[in-house]
């Protein structure tokens, strides 16, 4: 059942959160990095700024631990935004159930691109948002497209690529992204996703009936549902985020970036670098 008052409250909260993140954090931060890009140097192996100084003479366990804390410090705003937005989306989809229809893979993907591109979140933050969408039944095409498009197609990152990199490299990056979203992803969904075989069905309605609900009851109910969903998202995503930061930092310690300059250019070498890049939990830009 549609709970209009709760949906209105949640949409207002989502709008406020997006405005705060876009205008007060994400895009100003990316603009700053774009302006400094030529001279920008990481202060730690996976961190823009080092909140904890690391002595090269420290034992390996201490260096990895402190670098992981630096990674958490660098990514804390984005990860907090991702967790909060995922919880709000989860709550919205419980108050405003959607219906899923089979056989609409390409429109679903395009919808995800339109949602993800302006979000402007990095890969670390897109995962909990996608998890929250998927938990409440948003179709896989929309969920995956949102997760892929947000860190790769937002306007600031695309502008940075064309400003800093050779035209062929930036163009290849954009073309390959669209080829994956529009050609590869539909094929994968067709063969591996059960959504394509499902019939119309409403999502479960978890909230009380809405006919007689007052605004005060709507606020209390929304707060209760949001708190439950926030805990759900935190428990299932934050430990994995921290584990990813720890493992990525340990890998970067064992294989410093400067060592890549000595590698021979080959198919195997590029595949190895791609695997390292996939494993490292760092923002794309």
């Amino acid at each position: 059942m549609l709970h209009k008052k709760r949906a209105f409250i949640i949409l207002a909260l989502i709008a406020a959160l997006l405005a705060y993140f876009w205008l007060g954090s994400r895009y100003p931060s990316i603009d700053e990095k774009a302006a400094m890009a030529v001279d920008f140097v990481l202060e730690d192996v996976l961190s823009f700024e080092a909140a904890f100084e690391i002595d090269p003479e420290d034992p390996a366990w201490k260096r990895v631990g402190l670098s992981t804390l630096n990674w958490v410090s660098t990514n804390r705003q984005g990860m907090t935004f991702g967790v909060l937005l995922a919880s709000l989306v989860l709550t919205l989809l419980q108050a405003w159930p959607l219906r899923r229809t089979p056989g609409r893979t390409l429109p679903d993907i395009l919808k995800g691109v339109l949602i993800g591109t302006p979000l402007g979140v990095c890969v670390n933050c897109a995962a909990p948002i996608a998890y929250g969408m998927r938990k409440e039944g948003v179709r896989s095409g929309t969920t995956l497209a949102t997760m892929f498009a947000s860190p790769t197609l937002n306007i600031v990152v695309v502008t940075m690529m064309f400003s800093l990199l050779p035209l062929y490299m930036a163009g290849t990056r954009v073309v390959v992204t669209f080829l994956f979203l529009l050609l590869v992803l539909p094929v994968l969904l067709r063969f591996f996703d059960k959504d394509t075989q499902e019939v119309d069905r409403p999502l479960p309605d978890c909230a009380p009936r809405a006919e007689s609900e007052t605004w005060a009851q709507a606020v209390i109910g929304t707060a209760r549902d949001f708190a439950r969903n926030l805990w759900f998202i935190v428990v299932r995503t934050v430990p994995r985020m921290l584990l990813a930061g720890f493992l990525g930092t340990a890998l970067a310690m064992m294989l410093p970036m400067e060592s890549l300059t000595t590698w021979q250019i080959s198919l195997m070498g590029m595949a190895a670098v791609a695997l390292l890049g996939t494993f490292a939990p760092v923002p794309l830009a």
Side-chain angles (χ1 to χ4, degrees), residues 29-57:
S29 176
I30 294 179
D31 284 336
E32 180 184 354
K33 292 178 177 64
M36 300 170 57
V38 176
D39 302 314
F40 203 83
V41 178
L42 295 177
E43 294 185 7
D44 199 356
V45 288
L46 293 182
S47 306
F48 297 122
E49 299 175 356
F52 301 90
E53 294 294 331
I54 298 175
D55 188 340
E57 301 300 322

Side-chain angles (χ1 to χ4, degrees), residues 223-268:
R224 184 181 60 248
D225 292 344
F226 173 74
R228 183 182 64 248
N229 291 328
L230 177 62
W231 176 248
F232 176 86
I233 293 292
V234 167
V235 168
R236 285 160 179 78
T237 62
V238 173
R240 291 175 172 85
M241 289 179 177
L242 298 178
L243 178 61
F246 172 77
L247 294 177
T249 299
L251 178 64
M253 288 283 189
M254 293 186 291
L255 187 66
M257 286 288 196
E258 55 269 20
S259 68
L260 301 181
T261 60
T262 64
W263 290 21
Q264 294 294 321
I265 298 177
S266 65
L267 183 61
M268 290 298 295

Side-chain angles (χ1 to χ4, degrees), residues 16 18 28 84 87 104 215 224 266 278 283:
L18 290 175
L84 290 176
S87 304
R104 294 176 53 83
W215 278 103
R224 184 181 60 248
S266 65
T278 302

Side-chain angles (χ1 to χ4, degrees), residues 33-266:
K33 292 178 177 64
M36 300 170 57
V38 176
D39 302 314
F40 203 83
V41 178
L42 295 177
E43 294 185 7
D44 199 356
V45 288
L46 293 182
S47 306
F48 297 122
E49 299 175 356
F52 301 90
E53 294 294 331
I54 298 175
D55 188 340
E57 301 300 322
D58 286 338
W61 65 267
K62 184 175 182 180
R63 286 185 285 117
V64 171
L66 291 177
S67 288
T68 301
L69 292 177
N70 285 332
W71 177 86
V72 172
S73 178
T74 293
N75 291 278
R76 68 187 185 281
Q77 285 184 323
M79 291 191 297
T80 300
F81 168 79
V83 168
L84 290 176
L85 183 58
S87 304
L88 286 171
V89 168
L90 203 58
T91 309
L92 176 63
L93 292 173
Q94 290 170 353
W96 196 337
L98 302 177
R99 296 182 68 86
R100 299 197 293 183
T101 55
R104 294 176 53 83
T105 301
L106 189 58
D108 288 340
I109 291 174
L110 293 175
K111 187 190 304 180
V113 171
L114 292 175
I115 294 172
T117 298
L119 273 182
V121 297
C122 67
V123 290
N124 304 320
C125 316
I129 294 171
Y131 183 77
M133 294 171 67
R134 185 59 181 160
K135 173 65 174 61
E136 279 306 310
V138 176
R139 287 175 59 84
S140 298
T142 301
T143 301
L144 290 171
T146 299
M147 185 168 61
F148 292 134
S150 190
T152 57
L153 294 178
N154 75 74
I155 186 62
V156 177
V157 169
V158 172
T159 302
M160 285 174 63
M161 286 195 298
F162 280 96
S163 300
L164 302 174
L165 302 175
L167 180 61
Y168 80 91
M169 189 179 296
T172 299
R173 181 69 180 82
V174 174
V175 169
V176 169
T177 298
F178 276 107
L179 287 176
F180 175 79
L181 288 171
L182 301 179
L183 296 180
V184 178
L185 187 55
V187 174
L188 294 175
L189 291 171
R190 181 178 181 83
F191 286 100
F192 296 105
D193 186 58
K194 64 180 181 179
D195 276 355
T196 55
Q197 287 82 38
E198 287 183 352
V199 297
D200 266 2
R201 65 178 182 85
L203 292 175
D205 186 10
C206 303
R209 299 182 66 83
E211 294 90 7
S212 59
E213 189 174 54
T214 66
W215 278 103
Q217 291 172 330
V219 170
I220 294 172
T222 299
R224 184 181 60 248
D225 292 344
F226 173 74
R228 183 182 64 248
N229 291 328
L230 177 62
W231 176 248
F232 176 86
I233 293 292
V234 167
V235 168
R236 285 160 179 78
T237 62
V238 173
R240 291 175 172 85
M241 289 179 177
L242 298 178
L243 178 61
F246 172 77
L247 294 177
T249 299
L251 178 64
M253 288 283 189
M254 293 186 291
L255 187 66
M257 286 288 196
E258 55 269 20
S259 68
L260 301 181
T261 60
T262 64
W263 290 21
Q264 294 294 321
I265 298 177
S266 65

